Each structure stands twice: as structure tokens, then as C-alpha cells.
Amino acid sequence: MSPLSPSGTFQSIVSLYDNTTRLTDFSPQMSTASPMTPKHTSVTPPQDKSDCPKADDQLLNENVKVGLLFASKATVQLITNPFIGPLTNRIGYQIPMFAGFCIMFVSTIMFAFSSSYTLLFLARSLQGVGSSCSSVAGMGMLASVYSDDEERGNAIGIALGGLAMGVLVGPPFGSIMYEFVGKTAPFLILAVLAVLDGALQLFVLQPSKVEPETQKGTSLITLMKDPYILIAAGSICFANMAIAMLEPALPIWMMETMCPRKWQLGVAFVPASISYLIGTNIFAVLAHKMGRWLCSLIGMVLVGVSILCVPLAKDIYGLIVPNFGVGFAIGMVDSSMMPIMGYLVDLRHVSVYGSVYAIADVAFCMGFAFGPSAGGAIARSIGFPWLMTIIGVVDILFAPLCFFLRNPPANEEKMAILMDSNCSMKTRSYSTQGSSYQMDDDFDPESPE
């Protein structure tokens, strides 16, 4: 040993057994071991795949970015709808529906291979154009083919059930595939399904044919001035705005408060999707018997109450009942108001449906455009519970307006139009015979819906 060296040397030993550090004195005479307070040498325990971030600025900023991404599709769809409605009156419903399929296919492929927020935003926006073509043309086609009000309600209920199936499968499918397979796989599967849908449209609808309406429909501006159409559109807008605000904000709130796994973020919406499917199928038939206005009024109140209960949940199981109530109530509103839009056109305007269902889709899109974008900012500013309180109270306050749809008055000129249009309202049938028309014996022009 060098004479400049101390009589003993010290060496620290880290124990993997109890994560402590000991300082050992190696000297010629003896060796001692004394415990020493560890600085930061503890071994980090293995983390599970749970996402449990704190409510920091980075996570709160996600409210705005995710909200804008959600809202971009509805915003573009909102802008496109006023052009698609009159277009269907001129060229028919088949070509716009097939164009919607093509655009949706391209946007799905873009989603699969996009690697930046800008490309995702562009794909989501393009999706809005495709959805506008498909939804406006699809609803208008159903209203045109099923002129009887009860049959129309059943057909639209089935169509909304298809929408519910997509919403039901989408979130859990996407979240599970994302966690266990990756981002690209679910979109490629959706692209394959879109190709099958396009083949079915080519075979059944034959979109190469241009089939314009036989009569000129009421202008979009005139329809938007009708107060009864505005009430029906408002019900669709505010009811769907509730789930639109919930979609981007709920997963982030869950990450702040519940520490869920990734797949649970999508599964949380399953109760709402199942109940929406149940509600649209039940009230497609029942709403015609109990009165569509009453069904919508009850649905709006139920949406508001259910939304107010969402922030009371302490874990993912506490979200089951409120989300189930939200989906069921929105199913009541949609299955009632969509047929009423066609009925109001039959009753008060010319029975051409492209423009009125463009208004219905505009109302739907306003909910999904304003909801996520404003909801994300509100959740960041005053918190998720206050966001749910605001939209819940708005839905409850709007509900009484549905009473005005109980017995909407017919247009004075409508009887003359009915003689030329050969259309039906409710279960009444009209047929052109020279200058006269026939009605059922129980026809009562002042009978309530």
C-alpha cells in the first residue's frame, strides 16, 4: 500500500435484496459494514400497461387537439351538406351515395398510413365529405321509397341501427387492435369492408344512372325558415352534442382520475352504443304509437339527466349506467326526429327529401362539430364535470320545445300539391284520378301525430 493511501479503503455495495446501499471498510486489520442511506439507487418496479398520467398541462392540451381532430370531420360535413341536398334532387340518390363510398375508402387508407397530426386531420376532414354524400343521399332515398309514415319510421330506425352497430363496434375494436396489433391494422380491415360495401352498391343501386326528382323540391332556405323543422333539427343537434362532447373528453378525464388500461378507454363507450342500438330499434316502432314529439321530449330529458351523472363515476364500472342512459336517450330522439323531418316536408312543403335531410344532417354535424371543439376547450378551462353540467342543463331546457311538434299545422297550399305528388302521410293514401283524390275514411286533417 502506498504511504499516501489511507489505512483503509471504502467500497459501496448495492443489495438487490432490499435495495439498500452499504459502505464497506476494507482495512488490513478488519472489515466493517455499515448501512448507508441510499441516494437514488432503488430499482424501479416494473410498470404494467396502465396509463395513469397526472392532470398536467400536456394532458390538458390533448383535450383541445383531440377535440379539433374529432370536430374536423363534422365541420367539413356541415359545410358540404347544403350542396349535397340540392344535388340529390337533380341527379338522384345513387351517384352521391357511391361517391361517398369512394371518398370514405380513400380517407380510411390515409388513416392507416398517416404518421403526423396534419395527415390525420386531413384524413378526418376528407371523411366528412364522404359522410355527407352517404348520409344525406341515404336518408333521402329511404324517405322517398317509404312514403308511408310508419314504414318510413321503421326503415329509418333500421338505418340508424346500422349507425349504432358502427358506433358499437368501433371504439372497442379500435382500442383493442391498437394495443395488441397496432394502428394500421384496424383501418386496413375497415378498408376491406368498405370495398364490400361499394360492390354491394354497384350491384343493387347501379349508381351510373341519373334519376332526378320528378318535381322541384322546396328550397333549402325556405325549409330552414320553418320553425317546426328548426325544432326537430335542434333536438337532433343538442342530443348528439352530448355524446360528441363526451367522446374526446371522457377518455382524458378517465386517464386523470381512473388510471385505465388503453383498451378500457374504448370499451367505456360500449354501454352507450348498445343502448343506442336498442333505443333506435324499439322506438322506431313505438314512437309512431306514443307520439314522436313525446318520445323526443322524454329522450331529451333523459339525455340531460344521464350526462349530469357521468362525472359522479369513480371507476369504469360507474360509467356503465350513465353511458347506457345517454345512448338509449339519443336513440329515442334520433328515431323520432328523423321520420318527423320527412313528415313535416310531406305536411308543409313539396315531398322532395334531399334538402330536408341535408338540414337534419347539418344539425347532427353541428353537434359533432361544436361539441368536441368547444368541449375540449371548456374541459381544459373549467373541468370535465362542469362541461357535463352545461350540456346536461341545455338538453333539459330544450326538451319542452318538442311539445310544439305534437300537432304541426299543414300548409294551406299543401292539398293542391298532394293532388299532383301522389304521396302519403302517416297511414293515409292519396291517388291521382283526374281532378280528384281519395283518402281513408278516418282522415282528420287536425289529428295529432
Side-chain angles (χ1 to χ4, degrees), residues 134-161:
S134 298
S135 58
V136 173
M139 287 296 179
M141 179 185 296
L142 289 177
S144 179
V145 172
Y146 298 96
S147 57
D148 178 80
D149 185 62
E150 185 174 5
E151 292 180 353
R152 179 186 296 160
N154 295 339
I156 291 179
I158 294 173
L160 293 176

Short mmCIF file of all heavy atoms in Angstrom, two decimals, residues 134-161:
data_model
loop_
_atom_site.label_atom_id
_atom_site.label_comp_id
_atom_site.label_asym_id
_atom_site.label_seq_id
_atom_site.Cartn_x
_atom_site.Cartn_y
_atom_site.Cartn_z
N SER A 134 -72.99 10.17 -48.26
CA SER A 134 -73.67 8.92 -47.90
C SER A 134 -74.91 9.15 -47.06
O SER A 134 -75.97 8.57 -47.32
CB SER A 134 -72.69 8.00 -47.15
OG SER A 134 -71.59 7.67 -47.96
N SER A 135 -74.81 10.00 -46.03
CA SER A 135 -75.92 10.14 -45.09
C SER A 135 -77.09 10.90 -45.69
O SER A 135 -78.25 10.49 -45.55
CB SER A 135 -75.43 10.85 -43.81
OG SER A 135 -74.88 12.10 -44.13
N VAL A 136 -76.83 12.02 -46.38
CA VAL A 136 -77.92 12.79 -46.98
C VAL A 136 -78.63 11.98 -48.06
O VAL A 136 -79.86 11.91 -48.09
CB VAL A 136 -77.38 14.11 -47.56
CG1 VAL A 136 -78.48 14.85 -48.33
CG2 VAL A 136 -76.85 15.00 -46.44
N ALA A 137 -77.86 11.35 -48.94
CA ALA A 137 -78.47 10.56 -50.01
C ALA A 137 -79.18 9.34 -49.44
O ALA A 137 -80.27 8.96 -49.91
CB ALA A 137 -77.39 10.12 -51.01
N GLY A 138 -78.61 8.70 -48.43
CA GLY A 138 -79.22 7.51 -47.86
C GLY A 138 -80.55 7.81 -47.19
O GLY A 138 -81.55 7.12 -47.43
N MET A 139 -80.59 8.83 -46.33
CA MET A 139 -81.84 9.18 -45.66
C MET A 139 -82.89 9.67 -46.65
O MET A 139 -84.08 9.36 -46.54
CB MET A 139 -81.57 10.25 -44.59
CG MET A 139 -80.85 9.73 -43.37
SD MET A 139 -81.83 8.52 -42.46
CE MET A 139 -80.70 8.12 -41.13
N GLY A 140 -82.45 10.46 -47.64
CA GLY A 140 -83.40 10.92 -48.64
C GLY A 140 -83.99 9.78 -49.45
O GLY A 140 -85.18 9.78 -49.77
N MET A 141 -83.17 8.79 -49.78
CA MET A 141 -83.66 7.63 -50.51
C MET A 141 -84.70 6.86 -49.71
O MET A 141 -85.74 6.46 -50.24
CB MET A 141 -82.48 6.71 -50.87
CG MET A 141 -82.89 5.45 -51.62
SD MET A 141 -81.49 4.35 -51.88
CE MET A 141 -80.48 5.34 -52.94
N LEU A 142 -84.44 6.66 -48.42
CA LEU A 142 -85.40 5.94 -47.58
C LEU A 142 -86.72 6.70 -47.49
O LEU A 142 -87.80 6.10 -47.58
CB LEU A 142 -84.82 5.74 -46.18
CG LEU A 142 -83.68 4.74 -46.05
CD1 LEU A 142 -83.17 4.69 -44.62
CD2 LEU A 142 -84.11 3.34 -46.48
N ALA A 143 -86.65 8.02 -47.30
CA ALA A 143 -87.88 8.80 -47.21
C ALA A 143 -88.65 8.79 -48.51
O ALA A 143 -89.88 8.83 -48.52
CB ALA A 143 -87.54 10.24 -46.82
N SER A 144 -87.95 8.71 -49.64
CA SER A 144 -88.61 8.70 -50.93
C SER A 144 -89.25 7.34 -51.23
O SER A 144 -90.37 7.27 -51.75
CB SER A 144 -87.60 9.05 -52.03
OG SER A 144 -88.19 9.03 -53.30
N VAL A 145 -88.55 6.26 -50.87
CA VAL A 145 -89.06 4.92 -51.16
C VAL A 145 -90.21 4.56 -50.23
O VAL A 145 -91.23 4.00 -50.64
CB VAL A 145 -87.93 3.89 -51.06
CG1 VAL A 145 -88.47 2.46 -51.16
CG2 VAL A 145 -86.90 4.14 -52.15
N TYR A 146 -90.06 4.89 -48.93
CA TYR A 146 -91.09 4.56 -47.94
C TYR A 146 -91.90 5.82 -47.64
O TYR A 146 -91.59 6.58 -46.74
CB TYR A 146 -90.45 4.02 -46.66
CG TYR A 146 -89.69 2.74 -46.87
CD1 TYR A 146 -88.31 2.76 -47.09
CD2 TYR A 146 -90.34 1.52 -46.89
CE1 TYR A 146 -87.61 1.58 -47.29
CE2 TYR A 146 -89.65 0.34 -47.10
CZ TYR A 146 -88.28 0.38 -47.30
OH TYR A 146 -87.59 -0.78 -47.51
N SER A 147 -92.95 6.03 -48.43
CA SER A 147 -93.74 7.25 -48.29
C SER A 147 -94.71 7.18 -47.11
O SER A 147 -95.13 8.21 -46.59
CB SER A 147 -94.51 7.53 -49.58
OG SER A 147 -95.33 6.42 -49.91
N ASP A 148 -95.10 5.98 -46.69
CA ASP A 148 -95.96 5.83 -45.53
C ASP A 148 -95.16 6.16 -44.27
O ASP A 148 -94.03 5.69 -44.09
CB ASP A 148 -96.51 4.42 -45.45
CG ASP A 148 -97.40 4.20 -44.23
OD1 ASP A 148 -98.56 4.60 -44.28
OD2 ASP A 148 -96.89 3.65 -43.23
N ASP A 149 -95.75 6.95 -43.38
CA ASP A 149 -95.00 7.47 -42.22
C ASP A 149 -94.54 6.36 -41.29
O ASP A 149 -93.42 6.38 -40.78
CB ASP A 149 -95.87 8.46 -41.45
CG ASP A 149 -95.11 9.13 -40.32
OD1 ASP A 149 -94.12 9.83 -40.61
OD2 ASP A 149 -95.49 8.94 -39.16
N GLU A 150 -95.38 5.36 -41.06
CA GLU A 150 -94.99 4.27 -40.15
C GLU A 150 -93.88 3.42 -40.77
O GLU A 150 -92.90 3.07 -40.10
CB GLU A 150 -96.21 3.39 -39.83
CG GLU A 150 -95.91 2.31 -38.80
CD GLU A 150 -97.16 1.57 -38.38
OE1 GLU A 150 -98.24 1.82 -38.97
OE2 GLU A 150 -97.06 0.72 -37.47
N GLU A 151 -94.03 3.08 -42.06
CA GLU A 151 -92.98 2.31 -42.74
C GLU A 151 -91.68 3.10 -42.81
O GLU A 151 -90.59 2.54 -42.65
CB GLU A 151 -93.44 1.94 -44.15
CG GLU A 151 -94.59 0.94 -44.19
CD GLU A 151 -94.99 0.60 -45.60
OE1 GLU A 151 -94.46 1.26 -46.53
OE2 GLU A 151 -95.83 -0.30 -45.79
N ARG A 152 -91.79 4.41 -43.03
CA ARG A 152 -90.60 5.25 -43.09
C ARG A 152 -89.88 5.25 -41.75
O ARG A 152 -88.65 5.16 -41.68
CB ARG A 152 -91.00 6.67 -43.48
CG ARG A 152 -89.83 7.64 -43.55
CD ARG A 152 -90.34 9.05 -43.80
NE ARG A 152 -90.99 9.16 -45.10
CZ ARG A 152 -91.84 10.11 -45.44
NH1 ARG A 152 -92.16 11.04 -44.56
NH2 ARG A 152 -92.38 10.14 -46.64
N GLY A 153 -90.65 5.33 -40.67
CA GLY A 153 -90.04 5.29 -39.35
C GLY A 153 -89.30 3.99 -39.10
O GLY A 153 -88.20 3.98 -38.54
N ASN A 154 -89.90 2.87 -39.51
CA ASN A 154 -89.25 1.58 -39.33
C ASN A 154 -87.96 1.50 -40.15
O ASN A 154 -86.93 0.99 -39.67
CB ASN A 154 -90.20 0.45 -39.74
CG ASN A 154 -91.42 0.36 -38.84
OD1 ASN A 154 -91.40 0.87 -37.71
ND2 ASN A 154 -92.48 -0.25 -39.32
N ALA A 155 -88.01 1.97 -41.41
CA ALA A 155 -86.82 1.91 -42.27
C ALA A 155 -85.70 2.78 -41.74
O ALA A 155 -84.54 2.36 -41.69
CB ALA A 155 -87.20 2.33 -43.70
N ILE A 156 -86.04 3.99 -41.30
CA ILE A 156 -85.02 4.88 -40.74
C ILE A 156 -84.48 4.32 -39.45
O ILE A 156 -83.29 4.45 -39.13
CB ILE A 156 -85.59 6.30 -40.57
CG1 ILE A 156 -85.84 6.93 -41.94
CG2 ILE A 156 -84.65 7.18 -39.74
CD1 ILE A 156 -86.43 8.32 -41.90
N GLY A 157 -85.33 3.65 -38.67
CA GLY A 157 -84.85 3.00 -37.45
C GLY A 157 -83.82 1.92 -37.74
O GLY A 157 -82.82 1.80 -37.02
N ILE A 158 -84.05 1.15 -38.80
CA ILE A 158 -83.07 0.12 -39.19
C ILE A 158 -81.77 0.78 -39.64
O ILE A 158 -80.67 0.32 -39.31
CB ILE A 158 -83.66 -0.76 -40.31
CG1 ILE A 158 -84.85 -1.57 -39.76
CG2 ILE A 158 -82.59 -1.71 -40.86
CD1 ILE A 158 -85.59 -2.35 -40.83
N ALA A 159 -81.89 1.88 -40.41
CA ALA A 159 -80.68 2.58 -40.86
C ALA A 159 -79.89 3.14 -39.68
O ALA A 159 -78.65 3.03 -39.63
CB ALA A 159 -81.07 3.71 -41.82
N LEU A 160 -80.60 3.73 -38.71
CA LEU A 160 -79.91 4.23 -37.52
C LEU A 160 -79.33 3.08 -36.70
O LEU A 160 -78.33 3.25 -36.01
CB LEU A 160 -80.89 5.05 -36.66
CG LEU A 160 -81.37 6.37 -37.28
CD1 LEU A 160 -82.41 7.03 -36.38
CD2 LEU A 160 -80.21 7.30 -37.53
N GLY A 161 -79.98 1.91 -36.78
CA GLY A 161 -79.39 0.73 -36.13
C GLY A 161 -78.06 0.35 -36.75
O GLY A 161 -77.14 -0.10 -36.06
#
